[in-house]
Amino acid sequence: MTARRRPSLLTALSVLLLAVPVTVAVAGPLFAPAIATPDGAPYVLGDGHPLGTDGMGRDVLALLLRGGPSALGVACCAVALAYVAGGTLGLAAAVTRHRWVDELLLRPVEVVLPVPSLLVISVVGLVRHGSAVAIALAVAAIGVPAVARLVRAAALDAASGPVVEAMRLQGESWPRIVFGYVGRAVLPVAAADAGTRVGTAVFTVAAANFLGLGLEPTSPDWGVTIAGSREALLVQPWAVCAPAAMLVMFTVGLNLLSDSLIKRRGYGSTRSAPARKPAAVVRAGRETEAVR
């Protein structure tokens, strides 16, 4: 009975951790104007400011409500772009029968692998400083090689199996083979990786903003707010701890939710139900029986 309750408790905890920062990021900008208070003295606790003020005298609660879209949205969009580009490359490399096509698809993007992520972001920051789109594209470009290699490795078994061969003999289209069957086989691995990768992207974007390589210093972004108030951590801890707590809750909750969903679906379990065979395999088996 205890083993059955653990996944539900884990899911509830992950949803609770995710709900707070996501709600603040989505609904915060709508309520920020209503609760905004006039600027006060730098690093003040109280005096009409529930979470105090930052180094510029701005209300920390208002900054917290307005900084979520850039802090979380940029990272999530970057990971989505990385999976669209890298996942397509990895699936195509796994399904192809020609080794030179495999090399042609993956070797060019692997050039980015040894390049430090902050170096790429710093170069982008010099060219397009303060652009959220440029930061998202830079983080996505950094993640494409790793996603492509991961998806290719996870898809090799399914792509080289008899199911794909039967689907080819039945004349199934390439997108149906790649995305309909092989792509579905990769979903558990991709889901587990996405939770970690989104968390890494969130902290990469936050680190770029913290170092002044991303958004403008006056931006309400959570990473920028932490960077601007880090010197006064002991004087006004809420200016640093409040946005940092949002980032930690989001990354931990996302990883717990991804693990919980994988366990609930039964991936990797010996008791999980066998995958449903595609129609092409069923037809191929019937034809074989008819020949016999």
Side-chain angles (χ1 to χ4, degrees):
M1 182 176 294
T2 304
R4 292 183 181 180
R5 291 181 179 178
R6 284 179 181 175
S8 61
L9 292 176
L10 182 63
T11 303
L13 177 61
S14 60
V15 170
L16 179 62
L17 289 174
L18 270 177
V20 176
V22 170
T23 302
V24 171
V26 173
L30 301 176
F31 294 97
I35 67 170
T37 56
D39 294 345
Y43 301 127
V44 171
L45 281 172
D47 194 19
H49 304 280
L51 297 180
T53 60
D54 68 346
M56 300 180 186
R58 299 176 297 178
D59 185 66
V60 173
L61 179 59
L63 294 176
L64 193 71
L65 294 177
R66 292 190 287 114
S70 60
L72 303 184
V74 172
C76 292
C77 290
V79 173
L81 290 174
Y83 262 95
V84 170
T88 303
L89 288 175
L91 289 175
V95 172
T96 183
R97 296 180 175 182
H98 305 286
R99 185 173 180 79
W100 66 270
V101 177
D102 187 358
E103 299 285 339
L104 182 64
L105 289 173
L106 293 185
R107 294 298 174 261
V109 298
E110 289 179 352
V111 177
V112 187
L113 276 176
V115 181
S117 58
L118 289 180
L119 177 61
V120 177
I121 294 178
S122 63
V123 173
V124 174
L126 292 175
V127 178
R128 297 291 302 275
H129 185 69
S131 174
V133 176
I135 298 174
L137 292 176
V139 176
I142 295 168
V144 165
V147 171
R149 290 169 63 92
L150 175 74
V151 172
R152 176 186 177 276
L156 280 177
D157 287 341
S160 59
V163 176
V164 171
E165 188 64 29
M167 295 179 73
R168 282 172 174 163
L169 292 176
Q170 292 295 323
E172 297 287 354
S173 62
W174 187 84
R176 183 176 178 81
I177 295 175
V178 174
F179 300 106
Y181 176 72
V182 180
R184 289 175 59 187
V186 180
L187 281 180
V189 178
D193 177 71
T196 304
R197 198 166 298 279
V198 171
T200 303
V202 167
F203 280 106
T204 301
V205 174
N209 295 330
F210 182 85
L211 297 174
L213 303 174
L215 301 177
E216 297 292 339
T218 57
S219 170
D221 181 88
W222 293 341
V224 177
T225 303
I226 295 172
S229 304
R230 67 185 186 277
E231 296 178 354
L233 177 61
L234 299 180
V235 178
Q236 218 297 54
W238 286 113
V240 176
C241 295
M246 293 292 108
L247 294 175
V248 172
M249 291 174 67
F250 179 78
T251 52
V252 173
L254 186 63
N255 279 281
L256 289 178
L257 181 61
S258 113
D259 292 342
S260 174
L261 292 178
I262 290 173
K263 291 179 180 179
R264 186 174 292 274
R265 292 290 301 272
Y267 292 117
S269 174
T270 55
R271 297 183 180 181
S272 58
R276 184 179 179 182
K277 295 182 179 180
V281 180
V282 176
R283 292 196 299 267
R286 290 175 180 174
E287 292 178 0
T288 303
E289 294 294 334
V291 171
R292 290 179 180 177

